[in-house]
Amino acid sequence: MDEDLQIDSDEDLFRNPVYYEPAGRNLNLDRFDLGIPQGQDLLNVLLRMRGRVPVEKRGLICPDCRDLRGRRVPMYLVQRDGVWLASHYRKPGEKPISHESDEHLARKERVAKDSEDHGFQADIESQIADGHARLDVRINGANGIVLGYEPQLSAQTARGMRAREGFRRRSGVQSVWDFADPDHAGIGTVPYVRTPSLPASVIRVQKNPIAVRDGNFVLEEGRCSQSGALTRCPEKPYDPENPTDVGYCGGWHRVLVPVHQSSTFTGEGGLTLTQFIVEAAAGERIPFQRSGHHGWLPAQQWQQYVEANGPALDDKERQSSVRQGDRRDRCTEDRPASDARAEPKQRRGSRAIILESRPLETEAARAPVDALGQAIPLCRFGCDQPASLRGPEGLPEHFSCRKEHEA
C-alpha cells in the first residue's frame, strides 16, 4: 500500500501543516500529544497503519490544498533527523500540484526575459543534475557561472531555507533568493536580495524598474565618530523604532554594510533587479558568507574583502541525511503562512557585519613645559591643570583655585 508513493525529494520536505479529520483540527508534530486531547497514542496508531491502511484512508489531509484548491489531498508521515514531517501523497507519474501566485510567475518571467535580452540563456523550471532541487529560473552566465533565481514570497523557516540553499550550493549553483518581506526568515540566511512587493501587472512591464532594497553590501572602514567615515557604530544596537538615532564609540571598524545603510548612499540611482541579475551572471557580483550571514558584494569590493580578511572559513558543507527522490513540484510555494511551519518573525535592524574593530591608537600625553623647557607642575588644589604661579607656601597654584579654597 505504501509502495505506490511518489517519494518527496530532499528539499520538498517542509514543515507542512497536516489536518487530522477524525479530530477536526491540525496536528502539531512537535508535541508528543500532537496538540490534541488524548493524542499521546495517536502517533503510534498512525504509524501502525503503514502497509495496512491505504494512505487516503488514514485521516491525514493537507489543509492548504483543501482551502486553496477545494481538494482533499491525503498526507503521510515521514521522519527526518528525528523530526516528524507530513508529506503530500502522489502516485508515480501523477501531475504535481502547484500553488504559485501570479506575482511569483511574473517575477520568474521578467528575470528570464531580462537575462535573455542581455545575452544570457535562461530557462524557467529547470531541474539541477542531481535531481535534488528545481530552479525557478536557471541562468547560464559567463565563465561557467550557473545562477539560480528564486523568488520567495511565502513564509518559510530559516532551517528550510538553509536546506534548500544547501542543495543548490552543492550542485554548483549560485542562488539569488528574492524576498519582498523585510522580516522574512531567509534574509541573511541565504544569498539574497530584497525587492518591493509589486503586482504582477507592474512586474511584467520590462521598462518598470524593480529596485533592490537590500542584500547588496559594500566594504567600509574608518573611524567611528561624528566626523568619521561610518554613519553609525556597528556595535551599537540599532533601534528600528528610532532609526535616526546615531552613536559612536570613537574606535575604528571595518564592516560589510548594506548599500542603503552605507555612508555613500544618496537614495538616487539605486540598483535594479535586472542590473543585479545581469552583473551576477557576468561575475561582477560575488556571494559571500561571513559569521553565518549571506549577501552579495561587487567584484572589486569582494577583492578588497578577501585581501583584508581572507575568504569565509565557516561555510561548512552539510551532508544531507534525507532520502533522494524525483518530485518535480511542491505544494508549499507562495501559499499563505501556516503556524505549523512558519517561525515567529523577528524585527531586523542594521545588518552591518563587523570584520574588524579596534580602539584608535592615541599618543602618550606630553607634560607641559615652560619657556626654559622645564616641566610645569600641577595645581596644589587638585584641579589637575598645570600651574606656574607660586603661592605663599611656594607651591604651584591658581589664583582662582586659592580663592575657591579659602571660601
Side-chain angles (χ1 to χ4, degrees), residues 299-315:
Q300 182 179 3
Q301 296 271 312
W302 165 258
Q303 191 61 39
Q304 295 176 12
Y305 164 76
V306 172
E307 290 174 356
N309 300 276
L313 301 178
D314 56 348
D315 186 12

Side-chain angles (χ1 to χ4, degrees), residues 162-345:
R162 284 191 292 267
R164 295 170 68 185
E165 168 61 18
F167 301 136
R168 289 158 173 76
R169 185 178 64 251
R170 288 189 288 271
S171 297
V173 176
Q174 290 187 9
S175 301
V176 181
W177 296 89
D178 185 3
F179 303 108
D181 182 359
D183 295 308
H184 196 287
I187 287 183
T189 304
V190 293
Y192 74 101
V193 293
R194 181 171 63 84
T195 57
S197 179
L198 299 170
S201 58
V202 174
I203 296 172
R204 287 193 169 98
V205 179
Q206 286 186 276
K207 67 179 180 180
N208 290 336
I210 302 175
V212 172
R213 293 180 172 175
D214 198 358
N216 182 43
F217 287 68
V218 293
L219 180 70
E220 289 195 335
E221 60 182 81
R223 185 177 178 183
C224 185
S225 67
Q226 187 131 8
S227 59
L230 304 181
T231 57
R232 69 170 60 247
C233 179
E235 295 181 336
K236 180 181 179 182
Y238 178 85
D239 182 6
E241 303 299 328
N242 188 16
T244 60
D245 179 42
V246 295
Y248 304 97
C249 68
W252 180 93
H253 305 289
R254 179 185 292 124
V255 296
L256 296 177
V257 62
V259 170
H260 70 279
Q261 294 178 351
S262 68
S263 60
T264 58
F265 182 68
T266 62
E268 299 179 358
L271 184 67
T272 65
L273 180 60
T274 298
Q275 179 185 351
F276 180 91
I277 293 295
V278 170
E279 292 180 357
E284 297 173 9
R285 294 190 182 272
I286 313 295
F288 73 86
Q289 178 184 6
R290 184 78 182 193
S291 301
H293 191 107
H294 293 258
W296 291 80
L297 281 168
Q300 182 179 3
Q301 296 271 312
W302 165 258
Q303 191 61 39
Q304 295 176 12
Y305 164 76
V306 172
E307 290 174 356
N309 300 276
L313 301 178
D314 56 348
D315 186 12
K316 298 178 180 178
E317 296 289 339
R318 295 183 299 157
Q319 297 298 323
S320 174
S321 62
V322 299
R323 57 185 173 180
Q324 300 182 5
D326 191 33
R327 183 168 176 177
R328 301 285 176 173
D329 213 325
R330 54 184 176 273
C331 182
T332 53
E333 188 65 59
D334 289 343
R335 70 185 184 200
S338 168
D339 292 338
R341 67 187 178 93
E343 294 176 340
K345 292 182 179 179

Side-chain angles (χ1 to χ4, degrees), residues 81-243:
D81 297 330
V83 177
W84 285 104
L85 305 167
S87 190
H88 298 83
Y89 171 69
R90 281 197 302 124
K91 293 182 179 180
E94 188 172 305
K95 185 178 179 179
I97 301 168
S98 177
H99 288 315
E100 292 183 346
S101 65
D102 197 27
E103 290 79 8
H104 183 93
L105 293 170
R107 287 174 184 266
K108 295 196 300 184
E109 295 166 2
R110 170 69 179 271
V111 167
K113 288 179 182 178
D114 288 345
S115 300
E116 294 276 4
D117 289 348
H118 286 82
F120 297 110
Q121 179 188 356
D123 299 309
I124 295 177
E125 299 297 328
S126 175
Q127 194 84 2
I128 59 178
D130 61 8
H132 286 183
R134 188 195 72 253
L135 306 182
D136 280 339
V137 181
R138 176 193 173 106
I139 303 166
N140 295 322
N143 302 318
I145 294 175
V146 177
L147 202 66
Y149 173 69
E150 307 287 343
Q152 186 64 60
L153 307 183
S154 63
Q156 300 287 340
T157 65
R159 176 181 178 181
M161 295 302 303
R162 284 191 292 267
R164 295 170 68 185
E165 168 61 18
F167 301 136
R168 289 158 173 76
R169 185 178 64 251
R170 288 189 288 271
S171 297
V173 176
Q174 290 187 9
S175 301
V176 181
W177 296 89
D178 185 3
F179 303 108
D181 182 359
D183 295 308
H184 196 287
I187 287 183
T189 304
V190 293
Y192 74 101
V193 293
R194 181 171 63 84
T195 57
S197 179
L198 299 170
S201 58
V202 174
I203 296 172
R204 287 193 169 98
V205 179
Q206 286 186 276
K207 67 179 180 180
N208 290 336
I210 302 175
V212 172
R213 293 180 172 175
D214 198 358
N216 182 43
F217 287 68
V218 293
L219 180 70
E220 289 195 335
E221 60 182 81
R223 185 177 178 183
C224 185
S225 67
Q226 187 131 8
S227 59
L230 304 181
T231 57
R232 69 170 60 247
C233 179
E235 295 181 336
K236 180 181 179 182
Y238 178 85
D239 182 6
E241 303 299 328
N242 188 16

Side-chain angles (χ1 to χ4, degrees), residues 24-35:
R25 61 192 300 176
N26 284 7
L27 300 182
N28 185 345
L29 299 181
D30 290 330
R31 294 179 53 173
F32 74 96
D33 62 355
L34 302 184

